[in-house]
Amino acid sequence: MTSTKNNIDFGIDSRYRSKTEKDSESNQLMKARLKRQQNLSKEQINNARLMQLKLRMEDYLQNPAYDAKNYFTQFLKQYVDSLYSKRSNFAHDINITPNLLSKILNNYREPNQEFFYRLMIHSEKVFQHIGEFQKKLWIQVYYHEKICDTMFDQNNWRPKIEKQIKLSELTIK
Amino acid sequence: MNIIELSSGNVIPIEVLPVHESDFKSITKKRYFFNWRTEKAFEILKLIIRGEHEILGLISFERIPNECRIHIRLLTVSVENKGDHKKYDKIAGNLIAYVAKIAVMDYAELACISLTPKSALVNHYMEKYQMNITGKTLSLEVPEILHVINQYDNDEH
């Protein structure tokens, strides 16, 4: 049986033969999926949203975005809002003030090392039953964004800074 | 993500990347069983060993956003990885898991990937990936889709 399976398991041609076939299969599948979705527990929905967040963070690291968006805080908001009814409850759980959390989420204050330690440990606990979550992921996203911002924003900072930089002991031909 | 070299048991890290126009020179029907040029209108991904060029597997798929679904159109391993004497294991599984990751990244709890394999393979896919069957279509949804992602995406440290 295994041998037979291995001999045909080299590939799948799963293309619909006609629009009629596609529409008919789609309708049936949609009905069945809606029923199954109604039976999803709150925990299963939450796990899917947290997995989505993790995959988006990993994707951001692999596909740098050179734009003005605040990726770290957007991801952090999604994380907190997936888990808590009130953001202040998250602040309480990682032992910081709601005011500090609000400033970080709204980009009025940079997160410090201590904040990352707490976020790292919180995420480890949350993802324990969902899937692997790299310890370094939050910090990587944060610094990755800094690099992207610096490179994206060169037209703004470079003209002024270049005037301040000299190579007094070097001869450049 | 990784594959297993069956002769040694070694775990080999892999990458899944988009197929580029230049890849089609090496993607022949003889080695990859289908005419992949006809899939150019859709997204095609290739699986390679990290840092190498040889394509070990291919997958093409169609995003159907109004259904929060990705339909797998073609999936194959290279001729050396077919059957009882295949060189590497987990090629097809990694490609399916990669498409599952795209679906969850886009659609979260509504994510779904689907395919319609030959009837001889239906039970195999249902057992191996915990897929649901509706009509001729096999589908992978939450929560099973998360299990498949975790099964294949657990070595990124």
Side-chain angles (χ1 to χ4, degrees):
Chain A
M1 178 62 195
T2 306
S3 179
T4 310
K5 188 182 73 191
N6 280 341
N7 284 327
I8 54 175
D9 189 17
F10 60 88
I12 305 166
D13 184 351
S14 181
R15 293 172 288 193
Y16 294 114
R17 306 294 164 214
S18 65
K19 191 176 180 308
T20 315
E21 185 194 28
K22 182 181 179 180
D23 290 346
S24 161
E25 287 292 314
S26 292
N27 285 338
Q28 278 188 73
L29 179 61
M30 205 61 216
K31 281 179 194 164
R33 283 175 60 203
L34 284 172
K35 272 188 189 170
R36 289 194 283 268
Q37 280 167 13
Q38 283 165 2
N39 293 326
L40 287 179
S41 67
K42 200 179 166 194
E43 189 189 355
Q44 287 170 325
I45 292 170
N46 239 13
N47 289 351
R49 289 181 185 172
L50 288 165
M51 178 65 87
Q52 178 188 46
L53 171 69
K54 180 191 113 150
L55 294 172
R56 283 184 172 175
M57 289 169 75
E58 289 172 355
D59 184 63
Y60 172 63
L61 293 178
Q62 281 168 11
N63 302 293
Y66 295 96
D67 57 33
K69 283 185 190 167
N70 298 304
Y71 288 91
F72 172 76
T73 48
Q74 274 183 16
F75 290 138
L76 186 57
K77 278 177 190 167
Q78 192 183 335
Y79 179 70
V80 177
D81 294 343
S82 299
L83 294 166
Y84 292 89
S85 55
K86 287 181 188 170
R87 289 177 179 173
S88 57
N89 291 345
F90 171 70
H92 177 263
D93 278 2
I94 62 165
N95 199 22
I96 63 170
T97 65
N99 186 36
L100 173 59
L101 177 64
S102 173
K103 282 179 176 166
I104 292 170
L105 289 176
N106 292 300
N107 304 297
Y108 291 123
R109 187 146 168 198
E110 296 289 323
N112 62 14
Q113 200 66 32
E114 189 70 24
F115 179 82
F116 280 114
Y117 294 154
R118 293 169 193 215
L119 182 58
M120 187 193 294
I121 290 170
H122 190 277
S123 305
E124 273 174 34
K125 289 176 190 275
V126 166
F127 276 88
Q128 213 165 23
H129 304 291
I130 300 169
E132 286 205 17
F133 187 88
Q134 294 178 58
K135 290 183 176 72
K136 59 190 175 186
L137 194 52
W138 284 113
I139 297 177
Q140 271 185 315
V141 165
Y142 177 78
Y143 284 108
H144 188 73
E145 186 177 336
K146 293 285 169 211
I147 293 167
C148 290
D149 285 353
T150 304
M151 303 318 287
F152 173 72
D153 204 30
Q154 281 190 71
N155 287 345
N156 286 329
W157 59 260
R158 181 173 283 277
K160 187 182 165 194
I161 301 294
E162 273 197 345
K163 287 176 192 164
Q164 299 170 26
I165 306 301
K166 292 177 183 133
L167 301 173
S168 59
E169 296 198 9
L170 293 175
T171 310
I172 307 291
K173 288 182 182 174
Chain B
M1 300 179 101
N2 59 55
I3 52 175
I4 310 292
E5 187 179 39
L6 289 169
S7 60
S8 63
N10 288 342
V11 176
I12 317 271
I14 55 109
E15 281 182 298
V16 179
L17 301 169
V19 163
H20 293 295
E21 186 58 40
S22 57
D23 290 318
F24 283 102
K25 279 180 223 157
S26 63
I27 302 176
T28 59
K29 197 171 174 180
K30 196 175 171 188
R31 288 208 66 211
Y32 301 98
F33 304 103
F34 302 109
N35 180 3
W36 287 85
R37 286 179 186 271
T38 62
E39 294 301 285
K40 281 185 180 180
F42 300 92
E43 289 176 73
I44 313 177
L45 299 172
K46 61 183 177 183
L47 184 149
I48 56 169
I49 291 173
R50 200 174 288 171
E52 295 189 7
H53 297 291
E54 190 188 342
I55 296 171
L56 304 180
L58 290 161
I59 192 166
S60 67
F61 59 91
E62 178 185 4
R63 295 182 200 235
I64 309 174
N66 59 339
E67 295 179 34
C68 299
R69 174 163 72 102
I70 295 179
H71 185 72
I72 294 171
R73 290 172 53 83
L74 290 181
L75 167 67
T76 196
V77 295
S78 61
V79 69
E80 299 83 7
N81 290 294
K82 171 195 169 188
D84 294 334
H85 302 292
K86 64 183 172 184
K87 199 171 171 193
Y88 298 106
D89 195 24
K90 288 174 57 179
I91 295 172
N94 271 298
L95 287 166
I96 290 171
Y98 195 91
V99 173
K101 284 167 75 172
I102 296 172
V104 171
M105 201 154 58
D106 285 351
Y107 309 125
E109 71 270 21
L110 303 178
C112 172
I113 63 167
S114 61
L115 51 91
T116 50
K118 288 177 196 162
S119 51
L121 281 174
V122 166
N123 286 338
H124 167 62
Y125 277 90
M126 286 177 72
E127 282 167 24
K128 190 163 183 182
Y129 304 107
Q130 301 168 277
M131 287 180 161
N132 293 305
I133 184 162
T134 312
K136 285 187 279 184
T137 306
L138 294 182
S139 63
L140 197 52
E141 298 143 36
V142 172
E144 292 84 6
I145 196 168
L146 303 184
H147 300 161
V148 169
I149 291 171
N150 281 328
Q151 193 183 337
Y152 286 89
D153 192 31
N154 55 4
D155 58 341
E156 298 275 331
H157 291 274

